[in-house]
């Protein structure tokens, strides 16, 4: 018999003001209010930069939460970082469920408040909106607050379908690693007028469909800054997209310098001057908030 999902063990911070039941919490209430969609929208509106890092396991998720990161992304980059795969294409929904549950449990253990986003992996949403709903349900029941999916154009109806059914969605445009083979490699996207126009059109369609957040990966800084201005209802989160976005995301291993090769241009190693992993993540949060990271001259195109 295949193991059934264990939603009750994947508990994560409840939304504030639950209307059902009066059982007291098993442990003290969190000191900070859980990050929510309204809070993220308010940060976007007020110009406070949103911080996001990837997290794949309970302990680092708890440390990142304690360091003040608002959003944790269980990215399918875990296929390359944790599983040693050559790309994200081989990551399965079951693997994403497993890591999402681990991260949610880590947050729960420390009364964490981070907003938890999980990637829908390659092939888990491509067939139909109904397939996407089934896949998103697995990740939401594992503890995610929001799912992320890659691509523009054809994904807009799927985003609308999920949002109408109460599942917050983060879109992902620019370099979309699940389509690396079609793109011909990991390259900057949206260069040139025609490509920029397409990206702009897709971004507006995704906002119209209800995407509350949008990762912009390896997009020229000037384009992502104008997109950010154009998207009043959707918070852009950049990675290699310059400082003009509403927030920033990095792969945690990369910003901690846990790797053997050369980091991509858009990464800064925050561990170099920090005495601890928590210190490095706190430095990342400070640098994103005060606008010193990223530096467009060093980390963008
Ligand atoms: O999978 C991932 O970690 C991502 C980020 C790099 C944005 O999509």
């Amino acid at each position: 018999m295949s193991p059934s999902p264990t939603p009750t063990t994947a508990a994560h911070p409840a939304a504030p003001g639950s209307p059902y039941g009066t059982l007291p919490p098993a442990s003290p209430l969190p000191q900070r209010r859980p990050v929510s969609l309204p809070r993220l929208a308010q940060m976007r509106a007020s110009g406070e930069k949103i911080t996001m890092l990837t997290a794949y396991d309970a302990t680092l998720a708890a440390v990142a939460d304690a360091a003040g990161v608002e959003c944790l992304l269980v990215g399918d980059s875990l296929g390359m970082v944790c599983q040693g795969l050559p790309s994200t294409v081989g990551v399965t929904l079951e693997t994403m469920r497993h890591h999402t549950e681990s991260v949610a449990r880590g947050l729960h253990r420390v009364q964490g408040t981070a907003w938890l986003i999980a990637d829908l992996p390659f092939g888990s949403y491509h067939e139909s909106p109904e397939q996407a709903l089934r896949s998103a349900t697995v990740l939401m029941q594992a503890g995610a607050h929001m799912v992320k999916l890659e691509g523009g154009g054809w994904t807009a109806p799927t985003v609308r379908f999920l949002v109408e059914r109460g599942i917050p969605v983060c879109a992902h445009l620019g370099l979309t690693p699940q389509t690396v083979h079609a793109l011909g490699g990991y390259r900057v996207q949206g260069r040139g007028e025609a490509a920029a126009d397409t990206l702009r059109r897709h971004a507006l369609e995704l906002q119209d469909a209800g995407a509350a957040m949008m990762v912009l990966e390896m997009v020229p800084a000037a384009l992502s800054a104008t997109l950010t201005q154009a998207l009043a209802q959707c918070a852009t989160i950049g990675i290699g997209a310059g400082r003009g976005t509403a927030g920033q995301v990095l792969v945690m291993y990369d910003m901690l310098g846990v790797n053997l090769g050369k980091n991509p241009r858009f990464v800064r190693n925050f561990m170099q001057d920090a005495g601890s992993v928590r210190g490095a993540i706190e430095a990342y949060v400070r640098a994103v908030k005060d606008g010193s990271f990223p530096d467009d001259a060093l980390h963008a195109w």
Side-chain angles (χ1 to χ4, degrees):
M1 206 171 80
S2 65
S4 59
T6 51
T8 49
T9 63
H12 51 84
S18 166
Y20 307 122
T22 55
L23 282 180
S27 45
L29 287 169
Q31 299 296 306
R32 296 175 289 146
R33 280 159 55 85
V35 177
S36 60
L37 274 186
R39 161 118 181 262
L40 292 167
Q42 185 233 320
M43 288 175 72
R44 190 247 174 276
S46 70
E48 180 182 350
K49 297 283 182 183
I50 298 167
T51 59
M52 186 188 294
L53 281 178
T54 63
Y56 314 125
D57 69 89
T59 301
L60 285 174
V63 170
D65 183 88
V69 176
E70 282 110 10
C71 303
L72 293 179
L73 169 65
V74 186
D76 60 359
S77 52
L78 65 82
M80 291 150 102
V81 174
C82 304
Q83 296 181 286
L85 294 171
S87 75
T88 58
V89 174
V91 177
T92 65
L93 184 61
E94 173 50 24
T95 299
M96 291 307 301
R97 186 198 63 75
H98 170 88
H99 285 273
T100 302
E101 215 170 70
S102 302
V103 167
R105 234 183 261 128
L107 286 179
H108 181 61
R109 290 271 292 273
V110 295
Q111 302 275 336
T113 57
W115 180 253
L116 180 49
I117 305 154
D119 261 340
L120 285 167
F122 182 70
S124 74
Y125 58 96
H126 300 63
E127 227 170 86
S128 63
E130 287 78 5
Q131 185 211 17
L133 176 61
R134 282 193 296 277
S135 303
T137 300
V138 170
L139 299 182
M140 298 295 282
Q141 290 185 336
H145 302 124
M146 175 180 242
V147 296
K148 177 163 84 58
L149 53 81
E150 296 185 5
W154 70 273
T155 63
T158 298
V159 170
R160 188 179 301 281
F161 191 83
L162 295 179
V163 171
E164 282 173 348
R165 284 155 183 78
I167 299 180
V169 176
C170 177
H172 185 154
L173 291 179
L175 173 71
T176 45
Q178 291 175 7
T179 46
V180 62
H181 300 304
L183 294 174
Y186 297 97
R187 337 167 156 209
V188 180
Q189 303 294 313
R191 273 188 163 144
E193 222 168 288
D197 277 351
T198 306
L199 213 145
R200 204 172 289 118
R201 181 166 46 79
H202 286 169
L204 290 170
E205 284 169 3
L206 287 162
Q207 173 179 254
D208 273 1
M213 254 190 203
M214 186 178 300
V215 167
L216 295 175
E217 182 163 1
M218 290 180 73
V219 171
L223 175 58
S224 60
T226 55
L227 276 178
T228 300
Q229 295 306 315
L231 298 171
Q233 308 302 324
C234 180
T236 56
I237 307 292
I239 173 164
R243 63 199 297 275
T245 49
Q248 298 290 330
V249 59
L250 284 177
V251 167
M252 195 192 292
Y253 282 55
D254 290 344
M255 55 76 74
L256 293 176
V258 184
N259 49 31
L260 294 174
K262 191 170 165 293
N263 266 333
R265 177 183 167 91
F266 53 76
V267 174
R268 178 167 138 197
N269 181 339
F270 284 87
M271 194 63 192
Q272 250 157 12
D273 302 316
S276 64
V277 166
R278 178 164 173 176
I281 298 175
E282 283 169 349
Y284 167 74
V285 171
R286 274 196 306 276
V288 171
K289 297 271 182 207
D290 71 20
S292 58
F293 178 80
D295 176 343
D296 284 358
L298 299 175
H299 306 117
W301 288 272

